Structure formats: C-alpha cells, structure tokens
Amino acid sequence: MYRVAVIKGDGIGIEVTEAAMEVINTVTDKIEFVEFEGGFEIFKRYRVPIREEDLEEIKKMDAVLFGATSTPFDVPNYKSLIITLRKELDLYANLRIIPDLWNEREIYIVRENSEGLYSGVYRSTDERTIDFRVITREGAERIARFAINLAKEKGKKITFVHKANVLMGDKFFRKIVLSLAEREGVEVREKIIDSFTIELVRNPWSQGIILTENLFGDILSDLAAIHAKSIGIVPSGNYGDDIALFEPIHGTAPDIAGKGIANPIGAILSGAMLLDYLNLNGQIIWEAVKSYVRKGNLTPDLGGTAMTEDVVEGIIGEIEYRIDPWEWDEVWVDEIRINFIPTLFTK
Ligand code: 48Y
C-alpha cells in the first residue's frame, strides 16, 4: 500500500484533482489518499501557506498529488504554496511532458526546480532589491543527472538551453552539464535561450530532453504548452530524492471554477506520472486518454461541449476496457438486455 498526500487547492484545482483520484482508483487499489489543506485560505488563518505539522506528515508519504492554488502577489509576506512545497520537500527536478495526444509525440522539459532566481536569496533596501541567481555544483549536478537518466531511458539527446554568453551562473552550469553528459555518453546540443524560443515555436517535437535552469524552464514550459492545444492537458512531476509531487501545470482558472467544465486531462496525466513513479501502471492511463481524445467529446478549452465528468467517465471506460475487455463486454450486454429485452416480452 502506498500513501499519497492530496492537496486539491483552489478553483478548478479541486475538480481536476478529484477527477484524477477517481481515475487512479480505477487502475489500482494500492493507493491510500490522505488529504491536506493548503494555500491562501490557510495563510489567512495561520500566516503560512501550509501548517508545519501537515508538512511533517506529508514528508512521510510516498508521493503528493497537487491541484492548483492561487498566489496573490500583492499580499505582504505571502509565499506561494507550490514554491514552498518544492523547497521544503527538496523537489529539485521538474519534468513537464507536453503531449500531442493525437500524434504520439511529446516535448520533454526538465526544469531545475530549487535554485536560480527562485533561490529565495535576496537583499532589499529602500533603494534597490537584488534577487540572487544561485547555481551550485550540487544543484547543477543533480539536475544534469536527472536529465541524463531520462535521456537514456527515452533514447533521446539533450538540448541544454542557457545564456552562458552573458550569465556567469550559466557558464558554470554548462561546464557541469557537458562534462557529466560526455562521461555518460549522452549527446548534448546547446541553445541560447532567446533564439531557442523561436525554435520551440517552429520546431518543437525534435528537441529531445530540454534541460534548463529554473526561470527559463518556467517560461519555456508555458510557451511549449501551446503545442498541446490546451494548457489544460499538460502534466508534470516535481521529483526529489525521497518524494515526488505531481500537478497539472495549469492554474486555478477562477473564471470557470465550479462550472464543471474544467479539462481534467492535465491532472489525470499527472496521476499517470504518479503511478509510474510508484512502479504502478501509469501507461494504461496514457493509453486510455489518447484513445478517448481521438473519439470522445472534449471540454470547451479544446473546442468541445463536454463536462469534466463526461471526460472522466469516458477515460474510466477506456481503462476498464483495457483491464478486462470481457467484463466490459458483459456490462454492455447487460445494459442492452435491461433496456431492450423487457420491451420485447411485454408486447
Ligand atoms: O509552476 C509554475 O510554473 C508556476 O508558474 C509557479 C512557478 O513560478 O514556478 C508559480 C506558482 C505560484 O504563483 O504559486
């Protein structure tokens, strides 16, 4: 049995996380979900985005499933919940898979998730504020190793995106990435971040594993999400050495929250990544989602008229069919019998 912490968060985070849990429960009974509260509402009560005792509990879990939280940037001393969790759980590698669900191809982005401009180190006076863009040898090595392992597993090369022509930190980062990759026999192409943005627009599917520092990765992954047709279908995993957290990359979408039309696929695929992390069958979810989107009705962000629950039901049907096609057939036959046979005999 695995214990998975769940933080649904705000807005559509709640709906899509519930959808993901339902789908996971169809695939396996080996997961026990334990729910925790976090985000702005908790901050208003306790002055922290998550309670210390909850954080300690979460650290003992096998993984975390996260929805989305809203982060107001005009509230003094408020710190984003997801940034806090990445730091507290030391989730240093952020893998975002931007899928083309219709054509069997994807963009992989590995974003360094713990340092760079997100180090949290700054100096502020009345006259100026400096954010430190921290790159350490340990930080560079562990993210390089993560990308190299992924490149080997997927049989791909690495595209390392940087600004080493200007930034000292990236010069340092670059040397570490190149030497580790060479030692491991993985090919690395180098790209400068500014011109790479154009390449990512024009030629997104053949970049191998895109590896980059924290803020570049933040921006590039939102840009790349355009190729998925909706940011609502993009999943991600935040990995540390002891635990990992899975979340769709979209936000809380307050404009559609509670209307039942949020696209649950990003959260559901994050569930697939979670199952893979626990060595359970995440692949079956990927297959089910691909099969569903090619024939089923989609949510409005993808031009359809489906509700969240229609998509969830459709994907669950695809999973059940894959788990046991015979049982699935019988259910289908029973329904027909229930619907039609009585009318035949009552005539
Ligand atoms: O996960 C993301 O890419 C988000 O943009 C967060 C980030 O900067 O990494 C921001 C999350 C937040 O505002 O709480």
Side-chain angles (χ1 to χ4, degrees):
M1 212 58 189
Y2 295 101
R3 299 180 77 221
V4 171
V6 178
I7 304 170
K8 297 178 187 168
D10 314 309
I12 64 166
I14 299 168
E15 305 152 46
V16 299
T17 308
E18 285 169 359
M21 289 161 73
E22 221 180 299
V23 170
I24 290 171
N25 283 334
T26 311
V27 177
T28 178
D29 54 10
K30 293 203 173 67
I31 290 184
E32 183 201 339
F33 291 110
V34 186
E35 219 180 296
F36 294 90
E37 278 182 294
F40 193 51
E41 291 306 314
I42 291 295
F43 177 78
K44 281 196 253 173
R45 274 184 271 158
Y46 302 96
R47 314 308 297 166
V48 283
I50 186 153
R51 275 167 288 185
E52 188 58 40
E53 61 264 36
D54 286 350
L55 202 52
E56 290 314 307
E57 272 306 299
I58 291 171
K59 284 181 185 166
K60 294 184 216 145
M61 306 260 159
D62 295 296
V64 185
L65 185 64
F66 187 88
T69 50
S70 48
T71 304
F73 44 76
D74 50 0
V75 177
N77 298 322
Y78 184 63
K79 203 156 167 251
S80 151
L81 174 60
I82 187 66
I83 303 287
T84 303
L85 289 170
R86 287 174 187 160
K87 197 164 206 85
E88 291 291 333
L89 305 176
D90 200 18
L91 307 172
Y92 60 85
N94 191 332
L95 169 62
R96 293 173 166 191
I97 304 177
I98 295 103
D100 176 351
L101 294 174
W102 293 264
N103 295 298
E104 301 284 339
R105 50 189 187 175
E106 46 278 304
I107 306 167
Y108 291 93
I109 299 184
V110 172
R111 162 187 178 188
E112 201 292 319
N113 217 19
S114 63
E115 26 187 63
L117 280 168
Y118 284 69
S119 66
V121 185
Y122 68 99
R123 300 273 174 277
S124 197
T125 68
D126 279 349
E127 295 314 311
R128 67 175 184 177
T129 298
I130 305 171
D131 288 297
F132 286 88
R133 187 174 185 272
V134 177
I135 295 182
T136 65
R137 177 176 300 282
E138 190 201 351
E141 278 179 359
R142 64 185 186 174
I143 195 67
R145 239 177 266 121
F146 183 91
I148 288 166
N149 289 340
L150 185 67
K152 283 184 176 170
E153 184 193 315
K154 302 282 174 198
K156 291 181 185 290
K157 61 181 185 306
I158 290 175
T159 298
F160 178 52
V161 182
H162 61 69
K163 190 83 189 178
N165 49 334
V166 176
L167 299 173
M168 296 312 290
D170 274 3
K171 270 196 226 302
F172 178 72
F173 192 3
R174 170 181 181 273
K175 270 201 198 141
I176 291 169
V177 170
L178 293 183
S179 80
L180 261 182
E182 190 179 6
R183 208 183 309 157
E184 297 289 328
V186 170
E187 188 191 333
V188 179
R189 290 191 324 156
E190 295 184 67
K191 296 283 166 177
I192 304 291
I193 175 75
D194 42 349
S195 58
F196 183 70
T197 56
I198 300 173
E199 209 174 317
L200 192 55
V201 170
R202 290 204 180 128
N203 181 23
W205 305 111
S206 52
Q207 303 295 338
I209 309 295
I210 298 168
L211 167 63
T212 192
E213 66 87 56
N214 209 335
L215 184 63
F216 292 167
D218 180 35
I219 298 167
L220 287 183
S221 54
D222 273 28
L223 169 60
I226 276 285
H227 298 295
K229 297 197 166 66
S230 165
I231 197 168
I233 68 175
V234 182
S236 76
N238 298 257
Y239 301 84
D241 288 330
D242 304 321
I243 192 168
L245 176 153
F246 299 85
E247 50 160 347
I249 80 164
H250 63 69
T252 56
D255 52 328
I256 58 161
K259 293 189 180 158
I261 55 167
N263 192 336
I265 292 178
I268 289 170
L269 291 177
S270 301
M273 292 176 77
L274 183 148
L275 291 193
D276 281 337
Y277 173 73
L278 298 175
N279 277 319
L280 300 169
N281 190 0
Q283 201 49 39
I284 198 171
I285 299 183
W286 280 98
E287 294 307 322
V289 167
K290 284 179 197 165
S291 176
Y292 177 78
V293 298
R294 287 169 202 182
K295 55 191 187 210
N297 190 8
L298 302 169
T299 42
D301 55 310
L302 285 166
T305 54
M307 307 287 289
T308 308
E309 72 179 43
D310 301 328
V311 176
V312 174
E313 247 171 57
I315 292 170
I316 286 178
E318 293 283 344
I319 292 170
E320 283 169 346
Y321 173 69
R322 279 168 177 74
I323 291 175
D324 191 344
W326 288 107
E327 196 173 296
W328 190 82
D329 268 345
E330 273 166 34
V331 172
W332 193 70
V333 168
D334 275 353
E335 260 169 39
I336 291 182
R337 201 185 319 139
I338 289 159
N339 291 338
F340 295 102
I341 296 181
T343 46
L344 286 178
F345 284 109
T346 49
K347 274 219 172 130

